[in-house]
Amino acid sequence: MVQLESTKCSFLFCLGVCILICSAIYLKAKIPNTPIPSTDLSSQTTPAPQSCDILPPATPGFTWQRKDCKKISYETKPDANCSLLQSDLHFITAPLSKEEDDFPLAFIITIHKELETFVRLLRATYAPQNVYCIHIDAKAPEEYKTSVRNLAGCFPNIFVASVNEKVTYAGFSRLQADINCMKDLVKSPTKWKRVINLCGQDFPIQTNLELVRYMQGSKWKDRNMTPGIRQPPTMKHRTEFQYKEVKGTHVAPKGKGQKKGPPPHNLTMYFGTAYYSLTKPFVEFVLNDKVAKDLLEWSRDTFSPDEHYWVTLNHMKEAPGSYVEGEWEGNVRAIKWKDQEGTVHQGCKGTRMSTCNLVSFPWCLRQNEKCLFKT
């Protein structure tokens, strides 16, 4: 009995010691070693519902202010810490491979709203060896413009276009916005190989490495990607009649169906996507060649000129990297067309988007609306 009592006491003693040790470990993990610095309440982030908590807490010198989960302003202070911002938002700070470092890309991103969405797009496409031209719609709120400029100021390879257009959907201003960025990009010290254009509601479905490998594949190496075909009869009205752009609102026929003259230099017109992957020599050709300049000027009073301009020039033999025999080849965007439902795909699922007509993750046309869904 004495031996049993002794064993019992030893067990209880060991149990007590284990409890004390576990309690000490728990308290050490629960209570931080360093004191929490005091903060000025006026600089704290405005509380937002959990459902729209997309971005991390503000870093020193920055404040994310949210209203109704949609309106966000990005404010900087003189002592803003860009390194902390890049770290907290998980921006890539070094090339992930030599393959990517040897093939820098240029991006043109046209934006006009939804700062939070734009930041997610920028973060997803960002690589330090690339270069990014941000075109901010001239009619965007000043607070929004300031927010984007402040964000761009934290990165040496991100800049805002030197000239910003008041963009109208299907108007010449949308084409001019890309041209403005191209003029800035050719002056960039970054030796980029290809340029890709995006809109603010885009999101990539390929990594930077996948893009580089795809564009350096046997089919696209040194060749522009401008999916499109010879202008079909249903699209001829876009370039046969004159249109006028009501700045910032819409494009309307000019007069009672006023006809245009033929395209310059006897060019054959093509119709395709407004989005592309272009080689740098082709961009320089667009900016300097007389035929390209004349076509640009002729396109001012056409409907949605960005859907014929790039693809038409890319079918010229003289254009660097041209693809004269090309049609709809080139995976520059993931698209579900309404007329292919039931054959190529099984339709759209998710949220309809009627405000942004061009997005790079899956979307489709449905009664003149665009259907965007999560992957």
Side-chain angles (χ1 to χ4, degrees):
M1 288 295 293
V2 174
Q3 184 176 3
L4 181 62
E5 287 295 328
S6 176
T7 303
K8 182 179 178 181
C9 290
S10 298
F11 172 76
L12 292 174
F13 176 76
C14 291
L15 182 63
V17 171
C18 289
I19 292 174
L20 288 174
I21 293 173
C22 291
S23 299
I25 293 173
Y26 173 79
L27 291 173
K28 184 175 179 63
K30 189 73 174 178
I31 303 173
N33 292 327
T34 55
I36 299 175
S38 60
T39 55
D40 181 5
L41 292 177
S42 63
S43 64
Q44 291 183 352
T45 303
T46 304
Q50 290 295 322
S51 60
C52 61
D53 187 18
I54 296 177
L55 295 173
T59 56
F62 293 90
T63 301
W64 291 101
Q65 292 182 335
R66 310 176 181 197
K67 297 178 182 178
D68 303 326
C69 296
K70 295 180 180 179
K71 298 179 181 178
I72 303 175
S73 64
Y74 189 73
E75 300 177 348
T76 59
K77 297 179 181 180
D79 59 345
N81 191 323
C82 289
S83 296
L84 282 177
L85 173 76
Q86 295 169 16
S87 174
D88 286 353
L89 294 182
H90 305 290
F91 276 88
I92 297 170
T93 56
L96 298 182
S97 67
K98 186 177 186 303
E99 191 174 351
E100 294 171 87
D101 196 24
D102 291 341
F103 200 85
L105 302 174
F107 287 89
I108 296 172
I109 308 178
T110 54
I111 57 175
H112 68 286
K113 64 174 185 176
E114 297 176 5
L115 178 65
E116 196 162 353
T117 303
F118 163 65
V119 173
R120 287 173 65 84
L121 165 63
L122 186 63
R123 180 175 56 182
T125 58
Y126 183 81
Q129 72 274 6
N130 296 338
V131 61
Y132 301 80
C133 176
I134 313 302
H135 180 278
I136 311 173
D137 196 319
K139 62 180 182 292
E142 288 302 319
E143 181 185 22
Y144 180 88
K145 296 175 184 176
T146 301
S147 298
V148 175
R149 290 191 182 100
N150 289 337
L151 178 61
C154 275
F155 300 86
N157 57 337
I158 301 176
F159 63 90
V160 174
S162 58
V163 179
N164 292 291
E165 305 293 325
K166 185 180 288 187
V167 177
T168 304
Y169 171 63
F172 181 81
S173 55
R174 177 61 190 86
L175 174 59
Q176 187 65 57
D178 275 17
I179 298 290
N180 293 350
C181 261
M182 287 179 177
K183 289 179 179 179
D184 293 335
L185 283 170
V186 295
K187 301 174 185 176
S188 169
T190 300
K191 305 300 182 184
W192 54 272
K193 306 296 185 181
R194 301 182 77 104
V195 62
I196 302 168
N197 61 338
L198 304 169
C199 85
Q201 282 68 53
D202 280 349
F203 200 80
I205 57 176
Q206 288 186 329
T207 65
N208 191 80
L209 179 59
E210 288 173 326
L211 286 174
V212 166
R213 287 178 174 173
Y214 180 59
M215 294 173 191
Q216 289 198 96
S218 58
K219 183 165 187 174
W220 298 112
K221 187 175 179 63
D222 301 321
R223 179 180 280 174
N224 305 304
M225 207 179 296
T226 59
I229 57 175
R230 184 171 295 202
Q231 191 180 58
T234 55
M235 294 295 170
K236 287 187 179 296
H237 67 278
R238 293 180 169 212
T239 55
E240 286 187 346
F241 296 95
Q242 295 182 19
Y243 294 83
K244 60 181 179 180
E245 182 174 336
V246 182
K247 285 289 184 181
T249 59
H250 67 284
V251 174
K254 191 174 183 180
K256 295 183 178 180
Q258 296 183 21
K259 283 205 167 188
K260 282 182 61 63
H265 305 280
N266 200 29
L267 287 171
T268 299
M269 299 304 297
Y270 283 75
F271 164 76
T273 174
Y275 289 80
Y276 50 70
S277 167
L278 307 175
T279 64
K280 190 172 185 179
F282 181 83
V283 170
E284 292 169 341
F285 168 83
V286 167
L287 297 179
N288 299 303
D289 184 79
K290 178 172 173 52
V291 175
K293 287 182 177 181
D294 289 347
L295 179 61
L296 182 67
E297 189 63 30
W298 180 84
S299 299
R300 285 186 179 275
D301 58 355
T302 61
F303 185 88
S304 199
D306 51 353
E307 292 185 349
H308 72 246
Y309 184 71
W310 308 112
V311 65
T312 296
L313 291 179
N314 196 34
H315 280 79
M316 292 175 54
K317 290 182 179 180
E318 315 88 85
S322 63
Y323 190 15
V324 178
E325 300 82 17
E327 293 189 351
W328 289 111
E329 303 96 323
N331 295 326
V332 293
R333 304 186 82 70
I335 302 173
K336 284 190 170 185
W337 297 106
K338 174 63 178 176
D339 59 2
Q340 296 176 347
E341 186 172 341
T343 54
V344 179
H345 63 88
Q346 298 306 312
C348 281
K349 299 176 178 63
T351 305
R352 290 189 179 184
M353 297 287 290
S354 58
T355 54
C356 179
N357 66 303
L358 294 159
V359 292
S360 63
F361 45 71
W363 62 276
C364 71
L365 301 178
R366 176 173 295 173
Q367 296 176 351
N368 295 325
E369 287 189 322
K370 283 69 187 173
C371 173
L372 170 132
F373 65 92
K374 299 178 181 178
T375 56

mmCIF file of all heavy atoms in Angstrom, residues 46-56 66-72 116 120:
data_model
loop_
_atom_site.group_PDB
_atom_site.id
_atom_site.type_symbol
_atom_site.label_atom_id
_atom_site.label_comp_id
_atom_site.label_asym_id
_atom_site.label_seq_id
_atom_site.Cartn_x
_atom_site.Cartn_y
_atom_site.Cartn_z
ATOM 1 N N THR A 46 -11.017 52.973 -41.863
ATOM 2 C CA THR A 46 -12.443 52.958 -41.576
ATOM 3 C C THR A 46 -12.947 51.526 -41.560
ATOM 4 O O THR A 46 -12.666 50.777 -42.482
ATOM 5 C CB THR A 46 -13.206 53.762 -42.641
ATOM 6 O OG1 THR A 46 -12.650 55.069 -42.683
ATOM 7 C CG2 THR A 46 -14.688 53.814 -42.333
ATOM 8 N N PRO A 47 -13.681 51.115 -40.504
ATOM 9 C CA PRO A 47 -14.146 49.724 -40.435
ATOM 10 C C PRO A 47 -14.984 49.360 -41.654
ATOM 11 O O PRO A 47 -15.711 50.168 -42.203
ATOM 12 C CB PRO A 47 -14.997 49.707 -39.157
ATOM 13 C CG PRO A 47 -14.511 50.874 -38.352
ATOM 14 C CD PRO A 47 -14.109 51.906 -39.358
ATOM 15 N N ALA A 48 -14.850 48.107 -42.105
ATOM 16 C CA ALA A 48 -15.616 47.616 -43.245
ATOM 17 C C ALA A 48 -16.127 46.226 -42.930
ATOM 18 O O ALA A 48 -15.508 45.479 -42.177
ATOM 19 C CB ALA A 48 -14.741 47.569 -44.490
ATOM 20 N N PRO A 49 -17.253 45.853 -43.472
ATOM 21 C CA PRO A 49 -17.779 44.511 -43.240
ATOM 22 C C PRO A 49 -16.791 43.446 -43.695
ATOM 23 O O PRO A 49 -16.007 43.658 -44.609
ATOM 24 C CB PRO A 49 -19.050 44.486 -44.119
ATOM 25 C CG PRO A 49 -19.408 45.918 -44.296
ATOM 26 C CD PRO A 49 -18.119 46.667 -44.310
ATOM 27 N N GLN A 50 -16.832 42.271 -43.044
ATOM 28 C CA GLN A 50 -15.913 41.195 -43.378
ATOM 29 C C GLN A 50 -16.051 40.756 -44.833
ATOM 30 O O GLN A 50 -15.112 40.295 -45.446
ATOM 31 C CB GLN A 50 -16.159 40.003 -42.456
ATOM 32 C CG GLN A 50 -15.730 40.257 -41.017
ATOM 33 C CD GLN A 50 -14.232 40.464 -40.899
ATOM 34 O OE1 GLN A 50 -13.451 39.811 -41.578
ATOM 35 N NE2 GLN A 50 -13.821 41.397 -40.047
ATOM 36 N N SER A 51 -17.224 40.891 -45.405
ATOM 37 C CA SER A 51 -17.467 40.402 -46.757
ATOM 38 C C SER A 51 -16.663 41.144 -47.809
ATOM 39 O O SER A 51 -16.458 40.650 -48.897
ATOM 40 C CB SER A 51 -18.960 40.517 -47.097
ATOM 41 O OG SER A 51 -19.378 41.861 -47.013
ATOM 42 N N CYS A 52 -16.206 42.363 -47.503
ATOM 43 C CA CYS A 52 -15.412 43.092 -48.496
ATOM 44 C C CYS A 52 -14.006 43.360 -47.986
ATOM 45 O O CYS A 52 -13.350 44.294 -48.418
ATOM 46 C CB CYS A 52 -16.106 44.392 -48.901
ATOM 47 S SG CYS A 52 -16.350 45.535 -47.544
ATOM 48 N N ASP A 53 -13.553 42.540 -47.046
ATOM 49 C CA ASP A 53 -12.220 42.704 -46.495
ATOM 50 C C ASP A 53 -11.207 42.037 -47.423
ATOM 51 O O ASP A 53 -10.689 40.967 -47.148
ATOM 52 C CB ASP A 53 -12.160 42.086 -45.094
ATOM 53 C CG ASP A 53 -10.832 42.372 -44.412
ATOM 54 O OD1 ASP A 53 -10.132 43.290 -44.859
ATOM 55 O OD2 ASP A 53 -10.513 41.654 -43.448
ATOM 56 N N ILE A 54 -10.940 42.680 -48.566
ATOM 57 C CA ILE A 54 -10.062 42.095 -49.573
ATOM 58 C C ILE A 54 -8.612 42.464 -49.321
ATOM 59 O O ILE A 54 -7.727 41.626 -49.393
ATOM 60 C CB ILE A 54 -10.491 42.547 -50.982
ATOM 61 C CG1 ILE A 54 -11.887 42.017 -51.280
ATOM 62 C CG2 ILE A 54 -9.507 42.058 -52.031
ATOM 63 C CD1 ILE A 54 -12.438 42.450 -52.600
ATOM 64 N N LEU A 55 -8.365 43.707 -48.989
ATOM 65 C CA LEU A 55 -6.999 44.148 -48.785
ATOM 66 C C LEU A 55 -6.604 44.016 -47.321
ATOM 67 O O LEU A 55 -7.448 44.074 -46.429
ATOM 68 C CB LEU A 55 -6.853 45.606 -49.230
ATOM 69 C CG LEU A 55 -7.060 45.832 -50.724
ATOM 70 C CD1 LEU A 55 -7.071 47.310 -51.024
ATOM 71 C CD2 LEU A 55 -5.971 45.152 -51.528
ATOM 72 N N PRO A 56 -5.310 43.842 -47.035
ATOM 73 C CA PRO A 56 -4.852 43.703 -45.650
ATOM 74 C C PRO A 56 -4.918 45.037 -44.931
ATOM 75 O O PRO A 56 -5.194 46.076 -45.541
ATOM 76 C CB PRO A 56 -3.405 43.241 -45.828
ATOM 77 C CG PRO A 56 -2.996 43.788 -47.146
ATOM 78 C CD PRO A 56 -4.231 43.720 -48.003
ATOM 79 N N ARG A 66 -12.918 52.750 -46.696
ATOM 80 C CA ARG A 66 -13.931 52.031 -47.447
ATOM 81 C C ARG A 66 -15.323 52.532 -47.082
ATOM 82 O O ARG A 66 -15.601 52.843 -45.944
ATOM 83 C CB ARG A 66 -13.839 50.530 -47.156
ATOM 84 C CG ARG A 66 -12.438 49.991 -47.301
ATOM 85 C CD ARG A 66 -12.386 48.550 -46.905
ATOM 86 N NE ARG A 66 -11.010 48.066 -47.026
ATOM 87 C CZ ARG A 66 -10.689 46.789 -47.059
ATOM 88 N NH1 ARG A 66 -11.609 45.879 -46.985
ATOM 89 N NH2 ARG A 66 -9.433 46.437 -47.160
ATOM 90 N N LYS A 67 -16.180 52.566 -48.076
ATOM 91 C CA LYS A 67 -17.574 52.938 -47.877
ATOM 92 C C LYS A 67 -18.442 51.997 -48.690
ATOM 93 O O LYS A 67 -18.293 51.897 -49.896
ATOM 94 C CB LYS A 67 -17.822 54.391 -48.307
ATOM 95 C CG LYS A 67 -17.053 55.417 -47.484
ATOM 96 C CD LYS A 67 -17.317 56.830 -47.991
ATOM 97 C CE LYS A 67 -16.510 57.848 -47.206
ATOM 98 N NZ LYS A 67 -16.723 59.224 -47.728
ATOM 99 N N ASP A 68 -19.344 51.326 -48.043
ATOM 100 C CA ASP A 68 -20.286 50.412 -48.703
ATOM 101 C C ASP A 68 -19.576 49.327 -49.500
ATOM 102 O O ASP A 68 -20.076 48.864 -50.507
ATOM 103 C CB ASP A 68 -21.236 51.192 -49.639
ATOM 104 C CG ASP A 68 -22.002 52.263 -48.897
ATOM 105 O OD1 ASP A 68 -22.319 52.028 -47.710
ATOM 106 O OD2 ASP A 68 -22.274 53.307 -49.481
ATOM 107 N N CYS A 69 -18.401 48.922 -49.081
ATOM 108 C CA CYS A 69 -17.635 47.837 -49.707
ATOM 109 C C CYS A 69 -17.169 48.163 -51.118
ATOM 110 O O CYS A 69 -16.568 47.324 -51.765
ATOM 111 C CB CYS A 69 -18.456 46.539 -49.768
ATOM 112 S SG CYS A 69 -18.854 45.883 -48.153
ATOM 113 N N LYS A 70 -17.422 49.327 -51.645
ATOM 114 C CA LYS A 70 -17.100 49.611 -53.043
ATOM 115 C C LYS A 70 -16.188 50.821 -53.197
ATOM 116 O O LYS A 70 -15.232 50.780 -53.937
ATOM 117 C CB LYS A 70 -18.390 49.830 -53.844
ATOM 118 C CG LYS A 70 -19.254 48.569 -53.928
ATOM 119 C CD LYS A 70 -20.506 48.840 -54.729
ATOM 120 C CE LYS A 70 -21.379 47.586 -54.813
ATOM 121 N NZ LYS A 70 -22.622 47.825 -55.569
ATOM 122 N N LYS A 71 -16.512 51.896 -52.510
ATOM 123 C CA LYS A 71 -15.740 53.126 -52.692
ATOM 124 C C LYS A 71 -14.515 53.092 -51.779
ATOM 125 O O LYS A 71 -14.626 52.985 -50.577
ATOM 126 C CB LYS A 71 -16.609 54.341 -52.374
ATOM 127 C CG LYS A 71 -17.820 54.472 -53.287
ATOM 128 C CD LYS A 71 -18.651 55.677 -52.902
ATOM 129 C CE LYS A 71 -19.880 55.799 -53.795
ATOM 130 N NZ LYS A 71 -20.730 56.931 -53.425
ATOM 131 N N ILE A 72 -13.350 53.202 -52.383
ATOM 132 C CA ILE A 72 -12.113 53.127 -51.627
ATOM 133 C C ILE A 72 -11.213 54.286 -52.035
ATOM 134 O O ILE A 72 -11.095 54.604 -53.202
ATOM 135 C CB ILE A 72 -11.375 51.807 -51.902
ATOM 136 C CG1 ILE A 72 -12.291 50.630 -51.562
ATOM 137 C CG2 ILE A 72 -10.091 51.726 -51.115
ATOM 138 C CD1 ILE A 72 -11.685 49.307 -51.924
ATOM 139 N N GLU A 116 -9.984 48.903 -55.647
ATOM 140 C CA GLU A 116 -9.628 47.639 -55.017
ATOM 141 C C GLU A 116 -9.445 46.535 -56.057
ATOM 142 O O GLU A 116 -8.523 45.729 -55.979
ATOM 143 C CB GLU A 116 -10.713 47.247 -54.012
ATOM 144 C CG GLU A 116 -10.277 46.179 -53.034
ATOM 145 C CD GLU A 116 -11.172 46.111 -51.821
ATOM 146 O OE1 GLU A 116 -12.061 46.972 -51.666
ATOM 147 O OE2 GLU A 116 -10.991 45.188 -51.030
ATOM 148 N N ARG A 120 -5.877 44.459 -57.073
ATOM 149 C CA ARG A 120 -5.784 42.996 -57.168
ATOM 150 C C ARG A 120 -5.238 42.571 -58.534
ATOM 151 O O ARG A 120 -4.428 41.649 -58.634
ATOM 152 C CB ARG A 120 -7.163 42.371 -56.926
ATOM 153 C CG ARG A 120 -7.609 42.425 -55.479
ATOM 154 C CD ARG A 120 -9.045 41.953 -55.321
ATOM 155 N NE ARG A 120 -9.199 40.553 -55.663
ATOM 156 C CZ ARG A 120 -8.964 39.542 -54.835
ATOM 157 N NH1 ARG A 120 -8.559 39.787 -53.604
ATOM 158 N NH2 ARG A 120 -9.136 38.298 -55.222
#
